[in-house]
Amino acid sequence: MKVTVVGAGGNVGSTVSMAIAQRDFAKEVVMVDIVQEKNGDKIYPSKGRALDQWESSPIHQFDTHLTGTVEYEATKDSDVCVITAGVPRRPGMSRDDLLETNANIVRTVTENLIEHSPNTILIIVSNPLDVMAQVAYETSGLDSNRVMGMAGILDTARYRSFLAEELDVSPKDIQALLLGGHGDTMVPLPRFTTIAGMPVTQFIDDDKLEEIVERTKGGGGELVNLMGTSAWYAPGAAAAQMVEAIMLDQNRIFPCAAYLTGEYGQKDLFLGVPVKLGNGGIKEIIEVDLNEEEQQLLDTSADHVHSVLSDFRKLMSS
């Protein structure tokens, strides 16, 4: 079992690599990034981080070998490739501000990966995530079940962690569902939120729950404002969880950005929906019955993704 992480010299990519290694299900994780310069000298972040992580293997007790490289030849025959490469968000930036720069990066990365691993599965983490998944899908030529975006797992994790903190319960006992694009138009669904199988509404009043929903929608921006850059621990762990579900054929049900062909009344775009992940990637897109208000919110989120996708196509044609 071989996994490649592109952008692994950065915080998100290196966190993905470390989380996979610590789970100890893969034979090798290949960490790819570009050569950089610091004070006039060339540095190799992916090689350095791979070595640092491998040196922790006796402590964390894992056998997964980590290889740092700047060459895509080392990624040959990867079962799963995670793309985290791109420019991170800075204060005052939206995910959509990153559109043109990151689209060019994701396209080039995808071409290189497919050249050496034509049957791989792609997990996209780069922002704006839903459109970057579309870029990777159209560039790769892979079937849509083999291309997906990491978003819903991260967003639901934030939502669940906020609830756990507010209610003083274990986050392990909270289950939740969230749909839509990765951004301010995401659609948390309190109706599907439970604590140890019980409706969350038994534990919290509507106003406080709505505050947590709104905090979840702006969760990425909150961290950018606190740290001056995008988050990495939770996004990295979320991507690693997807890789594990696929490579171990776990049939886990997660919210992920998947290519829709009519599900939820949407088509020809990537949008966050519940899917079953296992061998081969997305085994099934699961449709849940939404009420009128929930469907309207999802349609609004999809309209936003369509708008960003339209902007992307205009940029590429100009």
Side-chain angles (χ1 to χ4, degrees):
M1 295 184 181
K2 182 176 181 179
V3 181
T4 285
V5 181
V6 182
N11 290 328
V12 177
S14 61
T15 303
V16 175
S17 301
M18 190 62 181
I20 292 171
Q22 288 180 315
R23 282 168 163 81
D24 207 21
F25 59 83
K27 180 69 174 176
E28 181 183 16
V29 176
V30 180
M31 300 172 63
V32 184
D33 213 323
I34 59 175
V35 180
Q36 298 182 18
E37 286 196 9
K38 186 174 184 180
N39 300 324
D41 296 325
K42 290 184 177 180
I43 60 172
Y44 300 84
S46 59
K47 292 185 177 183
R49 295 206 183 202
L51 179 59
D52 190 16
Q53 290 181 12
W54 175 243
E55 289 171 355
S56 76
S57 61
I59 301 167
H60 288 298
Q61 294 286 288
F62 63 80
D63 296 307
T64 300
H65 192 265
L66 296 128
T67 302
T69 183
V70 296
E71 304 293 342
Y72 280 90
E73 287 80 359
T75 70
K76 182 177 172 61
D77 296 329
S78 293
D79 297 285
V80 179
C81 296
V82 182
I83 301 177
T84 69
V87 178
R89 288 173 72 186
R90 302 295 182 189
M93 292 177 68
S94 71
R95 292 180 177 91
D96 299 344
D97 291 333
L98 309 177
L99 184 58
E100 184 174 11
T101 298
N102 284 357
N104 289 327
I105 293 171
V106 169
R107 181 185 293 106
T108 300
V109 168
T110 300
E111 290 171 344
N112 284 310
L113 291 173
I114 294 300
E115 179 183 353
H116 297 285
S117 303
N119 298 311
T120 193
I121 294 167
L122 298 177
I123 297 174
I124 313 304
V125 183
S126 310
N127 278 317
L129 187 139
D130 307 282
V131 175
M132 291 305 101
Q134 188 98 20
V135 172
Y137 170 57
E138 295 178 1
T139 301
S140 68
L142 294 172
D143 291 339
S144 60
N145 65 296
R146 303 184 75 85
V147 182
M148 66 205 73
M150 184 291 301
I153 296 175
L154 168 62
D155 294 329
T156 55
R158 287 173 172 161
Y159 176 50
R160 291 157 65 193
S161 71
F162 298 155
L163 281 171
E165 187 174 38
E166 174 66 27
L167 301 176
D168 193 25
V169 300
S170 170
K172 297 176 184 177
D173 290 330
I174 302 175
Q175 291 295 321
L177 178 61
L178 184 149
L179 305 179
H182 185 48
D184 297 340
T185 63
M186 70 178 74
V187 186
L189 297 173
R191 188 164 62 94
F192 294 93
T193 304
T194 61
I195 301 177
M198 295 173 281
V200 68
T201 50
Q202 289 193 203
F203 297 83
I204 190 170
D205 62 52
D206 291 344
D207 289 342
K208 179 57 69 173
L209 183 57
E210 182 60 28
E211 286 181 21
I212 290 174
V213 166
E214 291 304 312
R215 186 183 180 191
T216 301
K217 291 180 179 180
E222 179 181 358
L223 288 165
V224 169
N225 290 332
L226 288 170
M227 302 189 295
T229 190
S230 297
W232 60 88
Y233 293 123
Q241 190 174 52
M242 292 174 68
V243 174
E244 182 180 44
I246 292 167
M247 295 189 70
L248 298 185
D249 194 24
Q250 292 178 331
N251 290 334
R252 297 291 304 274
I253 295 176
F254 293 130
C256 302
Y259 187 72
L260 302 185
T261 58
E263 299 88 352
Y264 293 95
Q266 302 296 331
K267 61 187 301 185
D268 301 330
L269 83 163
F270 280 80
L271 197 66
V273 293
V275 304
K276 182 191 290 186
L277 284 187
N279 184 38
I282 295 175
K283 290 186 171 184
E284 179 184 355
I285 293 175
I286 299 168
E287 290 193 78
V288 297
D289 291 330
L290 302 179
N291 61 34
E292 185 176 350
E293 179 183 4
E294 292 162 346
Q295 184 65 53
Q296 287 178 349
L297 290 171
L298 183 60
D299 290 344
T300 298
S301 187
D303 287 344
H304 176 73
V305 175
H306 273 300
S307 176
V308 179
L309 185 58
S310 177
D311 291 342
F312 162 72
R313 299 213 187 281
K314 289 176 184 177
L315 284 170
M316 295 301 102
S317 64
S318 62

